Amino acid sequence: MSSPQCFENPPNLNSGVHGSGNIQELGGVKSYVTGPHDSKLALILISDVFGYEAPNLRKLADKMAAAGFLVVVPDLLYGDYFDLENPQFDRAAWLRAHGTDKGCEDAKPLFSALKSKGVTAIGAAGFCWGGVVVVKLANSSDIDMQAAVILHPGPIPDDEYSEIKVPVALLMAENDNCYTPEKAKQIGEMLSAKPELESFVKIYPGVSHGWTVKYKVDDEGAVKSAEEAHHDMLNWFIHHVK
């Protein structure tokens, strides 16, 4: 997450929007859980640097849950969210404490915890920081994951994309300091060159990094662009997590 865009437009955690789900401990991680608890299909949504309490992320989780998925949004930052309002905030120390390798390892117990509840198929989506985590999960051979959606991720080496093992959708912004449209297309070509891997790459015009969860609710155009990506994400999971 070397782009300033990763840290722009922080959510209002005091908005009063908490979602229709509840907080549970799952796989040793405090998580927002929403949707039918007897569903055999589950989704794990991994936040950006601003954490699992973000109102737009919770609303998205509830939207996915309305399609029949049990949705889990884990607090992989353990309440220690990126805090631009704090003049004493140490950005470098925060990034060291919250590496994406650690995020990946901390997320893995969620898969076995869901399986122990009778879930038979799991997809994972990640946003910015969480997108990097989900790519690492999609590379892993020690978890059972059926599909991944990566939304405006932070920087990821090409070799990590090439090691993805599950059907993957990459949803990218036209205006993204981490990925130019040309770079996103290059990654798409690399993924499509693997005939055994189903992949989908889409570049959304006129939007910037983070648009799927950091939109302003009173900006009709921004909401429409975010909802387009949400629709594409849901369709990918409906097709592959079943």
Side-chain angles (χ1 to χ4, degrees):
M1 294 159 306
S2 56
S3 168
Q5 289 177 311
C6 298
F7 312 111
E8 294 173 351
N9 303 322
N12 177 12
L13 300 184
N14 298 312
S15 68
V17 175
H18 303 295
S20 60
N22 55 68
I23 305 302
Q24 301 179 26
E25 184 169 304
L26 195 65
V29 180
K30 186 168 68 171
S31 302
Y32 175 73
V33 181
T34 182
H37 290 273
D38 58 350
S39 178
K40 301 297 185 184
L41 311 176
L43 303 178
I44 299 170
L45 308 186
I46 301 183
S47 77
D48 60 18
V49 298
F50 296 113
Y52 88 133
E53 296 181 60
N56 288 349
L57 181 58
R58 295 245 174 133
K59 287 191 289 186
L60 177 55
D62 290 342
K63 183 188 296 186
M64 299 294 110
F69 293 100
L70 175 62
V71 183
V72 177
V73 187
D75 181 16
L76 294 176
L77 301 176
Y78 302 95
D80 182 25
Y81 314 136
F82 208 86
D83 186 3
L84 296 172
E85 303 298 321
N86 179 3
Q88 305 301 319
F89 184 73
D90 188 332
R91 180 179 302 201
W94 188 95
L95 291 170
R96 287 194 300 271
H98 298 291
T100 51
D101 286 334
K102 181 178 186 298
C104 175
E105 291 306 312
D106 289 354
K108 287 181 179 180
L110 293 168
F111 290 82
S112 54
L114 286 167
K115 288 298 181 74
S116 73
K117 292 179 176 293
V119 169
T120 58
I122 303 171
F127 309 81
C128 188
W129 181 90
V132 182
V133 172
V134 170
V135 168
K136 293 178 182 296
L137 289 170
N139 292 345
S140 301
S141 56
D142 56 348
I143 57 171
D144 185 12
M145 181 165 75
Q146 277 60 56
V149 178
I150 316 299
L151 304 99
H152 42 83
I156 299 168
D158 285 356
D159 62 343
E160 293 198 23
Y161 281 112
S162 67
E163 293 171 7
I164 288 175
K165 297 177 174 63
V166 300
V168 59
L170 187 62
L171 311 185
M172 308 294 278
E174 180 181 31
N175 306 309
D176 193 322
N177 293 341
C178 293
Y179 295 88
T180 63
E182 292 74 24
K183 179 62 178 177
K185 290 174 185 175
Q186 177 189 340
I187 295 168
E189 291 168 358
M190 179 172 59
L191 292 171
S192 63
K194 300 177 66 174
E196 75 282 5
L197 179 71
E198 188 170 351
S199 61
F200 171 74
V201 176
K202 183 172 178 178
I203 301 168
Y204 296 76
V207 299
S208 298
H209 180 92
W211 90 99
T212 65
V213 287
K214 296 200 287 186
Y215 60 88
K216 302 297 184 185
V217 295
D218 56 354
D219 184 333
E220 184 177 342
V223 171
K224 184 177 179 180
S225 294
E227 288 179 343
E228 179 184 354
H230 299 166
H231 178 76
D232 291 337
M233 178 175 114
L234 178 59
N235 282 345
W236 188 258
F237 283 137
I238 288 173
H239 183 66
H240 291 289
V241 181
K242 57 189 179 181

